[in-house]
Amino acid sequence: MLVEFGGTRVLCTASVTEGVPRWRKGSGLGWVTAEYAMLPRATNTRSDRESVRGKIGGRTHEISRLIGRSLRACVDLKALGENSIVLDCDVLQADGGTRTASITGAYVALYDAVSWLAARKSLAGKPEKVMHRSVAAVSVGIVAGEPLLDLCYVEDVAAEVDMNVVCTGDGDFVEVQGTGEDGVFSRAQLDALLDVASLGCLELAEAQRKALAS
Amino acid sequence: MLVEFGGTRVLCTASVTEGVPRWRKGSGLGWVTAEYAMLPRATNTRSDRESVRGKIGGRTHEISRLIGRSLRACVDLKALGENSIVLDCDVLQADGGTRTASITGAYVALYDAVSWLAARKSLAGKPEKVMHRSVAAVSVGIVAGEPLLDLCYVEDVAAEVDMNVVCTGDGDFVEVQGTGEDGVFSRAQLDALLDVASLGCLELAEAQRKALAS
Amino acid sequence: MLVEFGGTRVLCTASVTEGVPRWRKGSGLGWVTAEYAMLPRATNTRSDRESVRGKIGGRTHEISRLIGRSLRACVDLKALGENSIVLDCDVLQADGGTRTASITGAYVALYDAVSWLAARKSLAGKPEKVMHRSVAAVSVGIVAGEPLLDLCYVEDVAAEVDMNVVCTGDGDFVEVQGTGEDGVFSRAQLDALLDVASLGCLELAEAQRKALAS
Amino acid sequence: MLVEFGGTRVLCTASVTEGVPRWRKGSGLGWVTAEYAMLPRATNTRSDRESVRGKIGGRTHEISRLIGRSLRACVDLKALGENSIVLDCDVLQADGGTRTASITGAYVALYDAVSWLAARKSLAGKPEKVMHRSVAAVSVGIVAGEPLLDLCYVEDVAAEVDMNVVCTGDGDFVEVQGTGEDGVFSRAQLDALLDVASLGCLELAEAQRKALAS
Amino acid sequence: MLVEFGGTRVLCTASVTEGVPRWRKGSGLGWVTAEYAMLPRATNTRSDRESVRGKIGGRTHEISRLIGRSLRACVDLKALGENSIVLDCDVLQADGGTRTASITGAYVALYDAVSWLAARKSLAGKPEKVMHRSVAAVSVGIVAGEPLLDLCYVEDVAAEVDMNVVCTGDGDFVEVQGTGEDGVFSRAQLDALLDVASLGCLELAEAQRKALAS
Amino acid sequence: MLVEFGGTRVLCTASVTEGVPRWRKGSGLGWVTAEYAMLPRATNTRSDRESVRGKIGGRTHEISRLIGRSLRACVDLKALGENSIVLDCDVLQADGGTRTASITGAYVALYDAVSWLAARKSLAGKPEKVMHRSVAAVSVGIVAGEPLLDLCYVEDVAAEVDMNVVCTGDGDFVEVQGTGEDGVFSRAQLDALLDVASLGCLELAEAQRKALAS
């Protein structure tokens, strides 16, 4: 599925394999992992392909791991049974918030994949047990002293503090990553950012519900 | 730009850099190169990312080189002046003919890039001199004894002979690559394939003209 | 310098080069970066060397980037002038909290390096302006429902929530990274963790002051 | 065996392994593959070793794949049975036409390897069924407007069109690869090149027969 | 264990795995191997990490192989049984003779590992049969015309001849590697170096005996 | 030049570049380096290409370094001036002693390269000053208790002690590398091996003189 947030467009797909990697065989548990990448011209200036450079950069690694962790948080791996799901998030166009858009979109792709497995009677548990929570993510930041939701690229560069927040549909936190890009931040600022982020995630959860219902 | 041929969808972009690689500096000549890649889920079964495997496969290398050669054939590098253009062809969905779709689409992206350089007065020669020819490409094959244009994946697998042909808008050949995938082919069969391919390329050249006019 | 926190021992060194990487030359700004690594037998079970595997894993990348960002937060790169400092954090023995121990130790190594540059009159600004803040880091987590400071390996594995917090000596936040390893966490739990972490960092800041004074 | 065409010298060897790669086990089919490489000083100017650069270049990949495809065209993999043959073509000295010399020489090495397997009674079918065709290859080109057979390096550089043609001993085509290195080519020129190439391949087929008879 | 020779400090550890690599299974023989590495700041000037460069340098390879060979010389692999021992020698601080210090220290770590296996009743033979010899190593050289034992870094750079000698506790040779770094050496000089080295190794053997007794 | 010792055949070439690597510019000194490699079918059983595996093995590294060191021992780098010479030793066929054959052959190739530079008046000093010594190398070993010169593959495998010795034409040592492959060796055995090796090298020096004279 293609996710669009402002000028950011991410292609999120879920690929199912029956069976799990060797080190997990016989555990009765499934496996969910994610790979994130940017097309070379997703940004305004072309960046080199990681395949050409022969190695994956630190930023790509970090985001792939974040997406994987976030999505595993909404899956009951026991109920999934010994099935593997790879989530691919390929950024076609980037204008800020590519990692949070990837998580939000990957959730929908994952849900579809689990439904497909359910239809094939390949799950160990019931589908609603496998997907017992929804997850969505937003980027928030402090720009010119004000907390702001969904930073585009220009705002992101200008942000004093930059935070990615992953929440469940019930308003709990899955992951909180805040960085003082240009300076530091007080507890009060942190609290304000968390408030904005929680609300933003709840709105996305609602949008996800609608998308899956249609 | 997004090119679609049947079930094949390729994102073709051209990125311009003023200046040329070090080994070409001071030559007065420009440089055009291409990179081809497939998203992991472009095909029906997910394939591993080349960035994760840490190296580019032989097939990818071969196709990138073919696209680069074909596009250089339609550019006067002297008239381009010391500018570099990278053509990225990323296959979002693959159903046969991804390399020929890439060439056909990359031509349009390249044309746009040269026009942009012309508007900035950055070309050494006139734009119509830089792009003195158009190029387009088709795949043809012999399936069940019959020459066929634009093979989709199922036909491609069944083909006894598989040929990629790159032509100019004037009907000349830029590149001819024919392979007896399953067996060999006679001169008569080769001639029939070349006839079908030439006609197919002329139709694409017409479509390119219309796309660029609009 | 060798940092010890419980069973964790990290060798932190700072290496100074006059001059900066090419892409930064002439900017008047310095550069601070970090590399983190574990000896193969730092953990109880031997892990393969990343040099032998031929690539750096995602976790190593992620931690190196975190250390670098955290340390840059306490340095005024303009006052540092065009000098480069590489912080090497090599874990000799790991028993939880290796990344936070690395940050806390790297601060002291960095301070020493800046003093050395000051003694050589190689700084653009005054040393107290270069190092205008201190940074220290702790790991906190929720184990069996209780917020806990400085998790050792066994606690880390058992933790429901795991959080790394980097603070300045003034109590501001530089970086907050919280993950629901096994489940999710509420806002109330997050607040409790931040309280514990802030206090822990202040204690470390005091210890750093003493270490540097002696 | 050492193949010499003008100033080009290629060492072609065939290595037989009983059994096939894992993904082919139990299929009853054999496997033939090829690897092409140039010694660093095969050309007039030394080129870096691909082992030192840590990766195989696009040109090497492309030629290895071409040799493999061409040689598989003359082998009945079912009659070969579950045996693997690797053809190594190492260019000791290069003066144009290294890929076509490799194919022509590899055919003889392959024939010897199949005879050796036949002598050990390790073939599934009869040797004449395994090697049911011969293959040979030539390079042709248009230099100064004239079609030319077997281009040496100087001619190759000067060629307007460059074509590699692989034929069977019966005059059928296995592979046709033509490129307008410097410009494009008409259908009439293509036809003239194919005529020259077919004749050249037939002569080589005759030479191969003699070599194998002695 | 941490070995110190002058300003050289090497951390030597032995890691035991029951079982052997696949290619050795069922042979009844054990396996001993070694990996040597230097921390980036072990030397006075920081050197790049091999993990970051993505490959192991020739010098590291060479020393790892030397340590492995030397240690295998003191082990009866049959009596060890199908157990694998990896010796890691990580140089924390380097002031000459890091490879010989590594061998001398790795012997003690290996002895401990074998004792541990003996205590678990996991050896095929008796421990004194497994470790039927001791090994130790010294570096010797000719500096300003004089044979010298245990060269520190400054002497090593100044040495006309540089030799590493590995001996058993009985005074036999395991490995002799002499290089005329700056010039060549006569048979008489070689003899003098061997005399000095043999004595040095005997002293180390005595020190090892004492260390293991305590 | 092609060197043959028994069943071992090595192609040794020297490639000259005027100028030196960047780190040596302005030093007034030349540079000599070597690269050793084996064709995949040089041995009886095919081995994988290092270019395909993507990295150079430890053995190859070790031998390349040995050849480079040995050849630098016979060159006055100051008299060579700022010229670079790369010695390529490619083993076409291996039957023991490939590294010593490489050194002996590379000396002749190096001598020719220096003469070529002399003819172009590109040397800083006189040619006889540049090449102020000759070098040659032999492998010796103890097989069934007896010292033996020039071990072929079968003897090499059976050898209890294996030693490579590089000598100058005047009988001095450049490099001595002895290993107890299967056991250890006494001082008396070492002395006997050195005697045999010295004589062997002198004979080769004579052969080199003759080859260069013709």
Side-chain angles (χ1 to χ4, degrees), chain D residues 100-170:
Chain D
T100 50
S102 296
I103 291 169
T104 306
Y107 168 74
V108 178
L110 177 59
Y111 193 98
D112 282 344
V114 168
S115 304
W116 181 84
L117 277 167
R120 288 172 56 108
K121 317 250 180 248
S122 299
L123 294 175
K126 297 201 172 163
E128 61 271 21
K129 179 142 177 48
V130 179
M131 300 292 287
H132 60 300
R133 284 180 194 125
S134 74
V135 291
V138 293
S139 71
V140 290
I142 296 181
V143 182
E146 288 301 303
L148 216 69
L149 185 67
D150 287 334
L151 282 63
C152 71
Y153 178 71
V154 174
E155 292 163 343
D156 191 44
V157 165
E160 294 130 41
V161 184
D162 184 24
M163 182 173 266
N164 294 295
V165 177
V166 188
C167 285
T168 68
D170 304 324

Side-chain angles (χ1 to χ4, degrees), chain B residues 18-187:
Chain B
E18 297 189 31
V20 282
R22 201 177 325 171
W23 52 270
R24 215 181 173 101
K25 260 179 200 155
S27 67
L29 300 174
W31 184 237
V32 173
T33 187
E35 291 185 6
Y36 166 96
M38 264 206 189
L39 290 198
R41 195 52 196 283
T43 44
N44 216 33
T45 316
R46 185 179 188 275
S47 49
D48 288 344
R49 285 173 196 273
E50 297 190 316
S51 59
V52 170
R53 273 187 278 149
K55 59 179 173 181
I56 290 187
R59 182 183 171 276
T60 299
H61 253 144
E62 203 169 308
I63 298 179
S64 294
R65 285 160 56 90
L66 169 63
I67 301 173
R69 273 199 316 271
S70 299
L71 272 297
R72 279 194 292 279
C74 67
V75 172
D76 181 321
L77 294 173
K78 201 180 176 94
L80 177 57
E82 291 204 5
N83 295 295
S84 299
I85 302 178
V86 183
L87 297 161
D88 285 292
C89 300
D90 286 274
V91 181
L92 305 188
Q93 206 175 298
D95 185 22
T98 62
R99 76 187 73 184
T100 50
S102 295
I103 292 169
T104 307
Y107 168 73
V108 178
L110 177 59
Y111 193 98
D112 282 344
V114 168
S115 303
W116 182 84
L117 277 166
R120 289 172 57 109
K121 317 249 179 252
S122 299
L123 294 175
K126 296 201 173 165
E128 61 270 22
K129 179 145 176 45
V130 180
M131 300 291 289
H132 60 303
R133 282 180 196 126
S134 74
V135 292
V138 294
S139 72
V140 289
I142 297 181
V143 182
E146 288 300 303
L148 217 69
L149 184 67
D150 287 334
L151 282 62
C152 71
Y153 178 71
V154 174
E155 291 163 344
D156 191 44
V157 165
E160 293 129 42
V161 184
D162 184 26
M163 181 173 269
N164 295 295
V165 177
V166 188
C167 286
T168 67
D170 304 324
D172 282 328
F173 293 95
V174 172
E175 186 107 13
V176 171
Q177 293 193 341
T179 303
E181 291 285 324
D182 186 29
V184 297
F185 51 104
S186 68
R187 179 67 180 267

